[in-house]
Amino acid sequence: MQSYLALILGAIIGSSIRYFFYLLNLSAFGIPLSTVIVNIIGSSLAGFFYGKFQNSVYVFMYIGLFGSLTTLSAFNLEIFQLLGNKDFLKATIYFLLNIIITLTLFYVFHFISLKIAS
């Protein structure tokens, strides 16, 4: 039961932050950036805290908070819209921003957390 409550609390916080960025509707040169930003934030934090929590705290952080903050469904919807509008260059840039930057920042912040711990 404790893990389930941790999941709910993390999901409420993560989805609330995600919705806040959605309302900001940030974009640059026609490329939607709100999803990119939450994916960058979530991936950075997930990398920083990777392997540091177990049990209910892990459920709160990774499944609840980060799982609700970052979202592949919004990514897929926005890239689908760009492709549907035949904005192939924007779709490619958007894809690269989400995939390469977030994966890179996950690794970088995980490395930083290991350096801090040692």
Side-chain angles (χ1 to χ4, degrees), residues 1 8 21 25 31 38-39 45-46 67 71 82 84 88 90 92-93 101 106 109-110 112:
M1 183 64 156
I8 292 170
F21 277 91
N25 195 28
I31 299 170
V38 295
N39 285 338
L45 291 173
T71 176
L82 289 170
F88 300 115
K90 290 178 185 176
T92 301
I93 292 168
I101 290 176
F106 181 96
F109 276 82
H110 177 61
I112 290 170

Side-chain angles (χ1 to χ4, degrees), residues 54-110:
Q54 298 176 8
N55 303 324
S56 294
V57 179
Y58 175 86
V59 171
F60 168 80
M61 296 290 285
Y62 281 90
I63 300 171
L65 180 64
F66 302 145
S68 296
L69 175 62
T70 62
T71 176
L72 195 53
S73 59
F75 168 75
N76 287 335
L77 175 64
E78 290 170 348
I79 202 163
F80 184 78
Q81 290 170 338
L82 289 170
L83 291 170
N85 293 333
K86 298 188 183 347
D87 289 328
F88 300 115
L89 178 61
K90 290 178 185 176
T92 301
I93 292 168
Y94 181 70
F95 174 83
L96 293 174
L97 285 172
N98 270 289
I99 302 303
I100 293 174
I101 290 176
T102 57
L103 179 60
T104 301
L105 287 174
F106 181 96
Y107 173 77
V108 166
F109 276 82
H110 177 61

